[in-house]
């Protein structure tokens, strides 16, 4: 961070002499400080999982959810500033409502993430705003089948088979690459997702975390729903077991 | 001067137009008036018909493509609702495969008589409402009680804006072990009973339903309830000129909501030959 103090990092509307926008990079730092969020696009659906770091024992279990429902068939997991994630979900729901009003059909994940990315990009242009401090994973099942997209603070929007953002994304990506995602079933994906979240958490043992997991696809009747409790518990215990053999 | 011949009245000399061929399309009318219907239909705000650029509070509003009766009864395990598949254009049987029963959430069915485009709008606002509730993820789900309250407020708000949604709605549901059945109309009027009917069915089928159901709500089985509704739909098909022998039945019970495929009514018309007084018979 030799650039600190040069003055080029004070505004998103100014490039540094070597062509970077520091505010966007700082926004990415905010993302990196947050618990990992992953998404798996598999054969018949999408699974989203989040390592939600619990910063206080006084919090009610299940509070401050980081996976949200956008529409019946679309879910969203965010990594970064929680409140920015909520703003993104609000924008996304409004978009769903607009599309439904104009076209009388549910919006697609692609159209949604494209649209949200335009908003995110606009926030990299002006000195009066700061870029969103979140990377957002949009997952859902629409007329084109299961889809998974990430929108980054820079406004970049890309589709993935396996997506990982947040603190443990590097390790999560390596693990995701080992899987044959397009051949997995949703249930298998739930097991893998839990395993990966437990694995990437291992490095910072000091903090408690909650595993948040939802899915959309055949198993959930194409609705974005939390993974059923019994399956979640099974996934957790398997993940813990896998962790011991991994080490 | 008034340039509309319609308003000039009839010629003084009756001999001038003995066969009433004079182009007076609207004659002064002194018969009984339906003040209520006139009041509701005439005082809508909107655009003048004679000059579409002038706003007017005297536009004549009316339903265009309409559905007729919806019937619903409570029975042992829940609530059952029936409506035929017809959407009429005036007296023309215009659309014969229209579904007038609509599921909202996991516990509720809403059935509509009256203007079908207004009903489609109602389906749209309820879809928006459902998605808003789903995305809240607060563990609460919309039940029939909430949908009924919401619809009654929407209907009353619209009538208060002098622009009603031209429907009679039945709302039936089953949630938390409780049956629910209620009525809302274009004025925001609500009531509830163990048998309900809209449209022509309110006159023809309601007495039949009451006789079959009242006092026996906890005894009638699913098969019996189905039979009662089928029989009432048959009577309606015989007597209501805006009905069809193709209909659907929605069952709402602890097992959830199920809306049947379209069913055909079996009817007998052999008696028609015996009817004298009009038609082809000469004696």
């Amino acid at each position: 961070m030799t650039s600190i103090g040069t003055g080029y990092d004070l505004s998103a509307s100014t490039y540094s002499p070597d062509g970077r926008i520091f505010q966007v990079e700082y926004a990415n730092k905010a993302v990196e400080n947050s618990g990992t969020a992953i998404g798996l696009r598999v054969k018949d659906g999408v699974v989203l999982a989040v390592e939600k770091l619990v910063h206080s024992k006084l919090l009610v279990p299940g509070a401050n959810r980081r996976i949200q429902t956008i529409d019946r068939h679309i879910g969203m997991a965010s990594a970064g500033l929680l409140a920015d994630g909520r703003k993104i979900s609000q924008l996304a729901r409004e978009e769903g409502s607009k599309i439904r009003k104009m076209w009388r059909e549910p919006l697609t994940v692609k159209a949604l993430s494209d649209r949200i990315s335009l908003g995110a990009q606009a926030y990299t242009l002006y000195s009066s705003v700061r870029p969103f401090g979140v990377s957002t994973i949009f997952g859902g099942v629409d007329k084109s089948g299961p889809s998974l997209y990430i929108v980054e603070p820079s406004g970049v929007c890309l589709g993935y088979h396996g997506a990982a953002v947040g603190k443990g994304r590097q390790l999560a990506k390596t693990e995701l690459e080992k899987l044959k995602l397009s051949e997995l079933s949703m249930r298998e994906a739930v097991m893998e997702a839990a395993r990966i979240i437990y694995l990437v958490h291992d490095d910072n043992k000091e903090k408690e975390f909650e595993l948040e997991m939802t899915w959309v696809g055949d198993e959930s009747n194409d609705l974005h729903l939390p993974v059923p409790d019994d399956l979640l518990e099974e996934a957790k215990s398997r993940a813990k077991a896998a962790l011991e053999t991994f080490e | 001067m008034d340039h509309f011949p319609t308003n000039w009245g009839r010629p003084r000399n009756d001999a001038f137009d003995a066969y009433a061929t004079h182009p007076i399309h609207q004659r002064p009318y002194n018969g009984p008036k339906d003040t209520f219907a006139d009041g509701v239909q005439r005082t809508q705000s909107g655009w003048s018909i004679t000059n579409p650029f002038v706003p007017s509070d005297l536009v004549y509003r009316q339903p265009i493509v309409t559905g007729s009766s919806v019937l619903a009864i409570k029975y042992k395990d829940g609530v059952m609702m029936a409506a035929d598949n017809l959407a009429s254009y005036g007296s023309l049987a215009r659309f014969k495969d229209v579904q007038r029963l609509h599921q909202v959430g996991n516990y509720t069915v809403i059935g509509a008589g009256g203007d079908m485009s207004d009903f489609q709008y109602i389906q749209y606002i309820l879809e928006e409402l459902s998605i808003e509730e789903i995305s809240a993820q607060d563990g609460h789900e919309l039940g029939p009680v909430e949908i009924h309250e919401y619809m009654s407020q929407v209907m009353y708000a619209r009538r208060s804006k002098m622009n009603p949604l031209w429907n009679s709605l039945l709302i039936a549901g089953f949630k938390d072990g409780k049956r629910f059945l209620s009525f809302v109309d274009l004025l925001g009027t609500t009531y509830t009973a163990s048998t309900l009917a809209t449209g022509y069915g309110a006159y023809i089928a309601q007495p039949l339903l009451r006789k079959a159901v009242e006092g026996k709500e906890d005894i009638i089985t699913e098969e019996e309830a189905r039979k009662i509704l089928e029989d009432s739909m048959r009577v309606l098909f015989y007597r209501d000129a805006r009905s069809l022998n193709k209909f659907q039945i929605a069952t709402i019970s602890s097992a959830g909501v199920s809306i049947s495929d379209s069913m055909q009514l079996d009817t007998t018309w052999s008696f028609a030959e015996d009817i004298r007084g009009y038609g082809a018979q000469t004696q």
Side-chain angles (χ1 to χ4, degrees):
Chain A
M1 283 281 163
T2 50
S3 51
I4 290 179
T6 56
Y8 292 109
D9 62 349
L10 297 177
S11 158
S13 69
T14 308
Y15 285 109
S16 77
D18 49 349
R20 293 152 63 184
I21 298 164
F22 288 116
Q23 281 298 316
V24 171
E25 294 181 23
Y26 297 161
N28 279 313
K29 290 275 179 221
V31 176
E32 284 168 29
N33 289 333
S34 125
T36 318
I38 58 171
L40 288 79
R41 194 189 103 170
V42 293
K43 196 171 52 187
D44 49 359
V46 172
V47 173
L48 298 176
V50 160
E51 170 209 19
K52 187 176 72 190
L53 299 174
V54 181
H55 60 269
S56 163
K57 284 189 179 0
L58 298 175
L59 283 167
V60 176
N64 299 329
R65 273 191 310 262
R66 279 175 51 198
I67 303 187
Q68 305 194 65
T69 304
I70 301 307
D71 205 323
R72 286 183 202 283
H73 61 298
I74 298 177
M76 177 197 116
S78 66
L81 305 177
L82 192 63
D84 282 23
R86 294 220 179 92
K87 177 66 185 180
I88 296 269
S89 73
Q90 182 201 346
L91 293 171
R93 284 172 193 147
E94 283 169 9
E95 188 60 22
S97 175
K98 276 187 217 161
I99 296 286
R100 182 171 280 100
K101 185 168 190 188
M102 176 135 29
W103 304 101
R104 299 288 149 147
E105 64 174 31
L107 87 166
T108 60
V109 186
K110 184 175 163 56
L112 171 68
S113 32
D114 267 356
R115 186 76 177 183
I116 295 298
S117 75
L118 290 178
Q121 192 271 341
Y123 276 21
T124 68
L125 296 173
Y126 306 99
S127 56
S128 54
V129 290
R130 66 168 169 79
F132 280 110
V134 282
S135 271
T136 315
I137 304 178
F138 291 104
V141 173
D142 53 41
K143 58 189 176 189
S144 64
S147 2
L148 187 66
Y149 287 84
I150 295 182
V151 176
E152 291 173 19
S154 62
V156 160
C157 168
L158 292 167
Y160 291 87
H161 279 102
V165 291
K167 199 177 281 177
R169 72 193 176 290
Q170 286 305 346
L171 182 52
K173 276 182 196 167
T174 349
E175 288 300 311
L176 285 169
E177 280 167 15
K178 291 179 193 165
L179 303 171
K180 287 185 173 155
L181 284 164
S182 49
E183 291 169 25
L184 286 186
S185 72
M186 283 175 75
R187 282 175 179 275
E188 287 164 340
V190 164
M191 299 303 156
E192 295 298 342
R195 186 181 63 77
I196 293 171
I197 291 293
Y198 271 83
L199 181 68
V200 299
H201 178 74
D202 213 39
D203 297 329
N204 42 14
K205 268 180 179 153
E206 72 285 1
K207 271 183 186 161
E208 291 289 308
F209 82 103
E210 274 177 26
L211 172 62
E212 243 183 281
M213 197 148 49
T214 61
W215 60 4
V216 206
D218 288 359
E219 296 276 354
S220 67
N221 212 1
D222 284 356
L223 299 174
H224 178 245
L225 295 173
V227 169
D229 285 340
D230 52 342
L231 191 64
L232 186 64
E233 288 311 314
E234 188 192 336
K236 277 186 193 170
S237 54
R238 279 216 216 169
K240 285 172 197 159
L243 211 55
E244 274 156 29
T245 52
F246 188 82
E247 280 163 350
Chain B
M1 180 190 166
D2 187 347
H3 295 278
F4 295 98
T6 310
N7 296 332
W8 294 350
R10 282 183 52 74
R12 294 202 184 146
N13 184 358
D14 279 348
F16 166 74
D17 187 26
Y19 296 98
T21 58
H22 189 77
I24 295 177
H25 3 284
Q26 205 179 40
R27 300 216 161 88
Y29 174 70
N30 297 312
K33 267 202 233 171
D34 188 341
T35 321
F36 176 75
D38 271 12
V40 169
Q41 293 177 5
R42 280 196 172 276
T43 53
Q44 316 308 321
S45 56
W47 300 96
S48 161
I49 288 168
T50 46
N51 182 350
F53 299 102
V54 174
S56 161
D57 56 358
L58 288 176
V59 172
Y60 197 89
R61 292 281 174 104
Q62 56 183 328
I64 305 295
V65 177
T66 58
S68 188
S69 320
V70 186
L71 312 179
I73 57 173
K74 288 185 180 174
Y75 71 102
K76 187 160 68 79
D77 309 319
V79 194
M80 210 178 264
M81 192 188 283
D84 66 27
N85 291 114
L86 181 66
S88 308
Y89 181 69
S91 61
L92 174 70
R94 182 67 182 82
F95 303 104
K96 297 181 170 189
D97 57 354
V98 172
Q99 182 170 328
R100 296 199 289 126
L101 303 174
H102 175 67
Q103 180 175 348
V104 185
N106 296 322
Y107 309 100
T108 314
V109 168
I110 178 161
D115 193 276
M116 284 297 107
S117 55
D118 283 353
F119 180 48
Q120 288 177 345
Y121 171 72
I122 288 170
Q123 291 176 29
Y124 167 72
I125 58 172
L126 287 175
E127 172 78 358
E128 284 284 286
L129 179 73
S130 303
I131 291 169
E132 204 180 312
E133 292 296 319
I134 287 169
S135 29
Q137 291 174 299
D138 52 8
H140 296 286
E141 290 181 279
L142 285 182
V145 180
E146 290 77 27
I147 307 255
H148 166 255
E149 185 62 28
Y150 182 77
M151 277 324 300
S152 70
Q153 295 295 324
V154 167
M155 298 302 262
Y156 180 69
R158 287 294 296 263
R159 83 104 223 194
S160 300
K161 287 175 187 159
M162 292 294 194
N163 188 195
L165 293 169
W166 217 281
N167 296 104
S168 303
L169 305 171
L170 294 190
I171 294 141
F174 191 99
K175 187 165 184 266
D176 304 329
K178 287 196 194 96
R179 294 174 296 200
F180 181 86
L181 179 56
S182 75
F183 173 95
V184 183
D185 71 6
L186 74 168
L187 301 171
T189 317
T190 61
Y191 50 83
T192 178
S194 52
T195 71
L196 285 177
T198 73
Y200 207 62
Y203 303 98
I204 297 290
Q206 181 69 301
L208 303 170
L209 296 176
R210 283 184 184 153
K211 196 173 175 191
V213 174
E214 278 186 353
K216 288 175 267 186
E217 292 89 349
D218 298 320
I219 303 165
I220 295 169
T221 64
E222 186 175 333
E223 292 73 39
E224 287 165 348
R226 194 174 294 276
K227 175 90 172 26
I228 292 167
L229 284 180
E230 275 178 23
D231 288 346
S232 304
M233 291 306 282
R234 185 177 296 107
V235 172
L236 277 173
F237 179 53
Y238 280 133
R239 317 237 74 131
D240 178 4
R242 306 282 171 275
S243 70
L244 196 68
N245 60 342
K246 221 176 109 192
F247 69 107
Q248 282 169 289
I249 286 184
T251 320
I252 311 103
S253 65
S254 56
V257 172
S258 87
I259 298 177
S260 75
D261 290 338
S262 288
M263 295 179 282
Q264 204 80 17
L265 277 170
D266 46 325
T267 45
T268 337
W269 293 95
S270 54
F271 65 86
E273 293 172 19
D274 303 326
I275 297 175
R276 300 288 148 188
Y278 57 96
Q281 306 91 353
T282 48
Q283 50 172 334

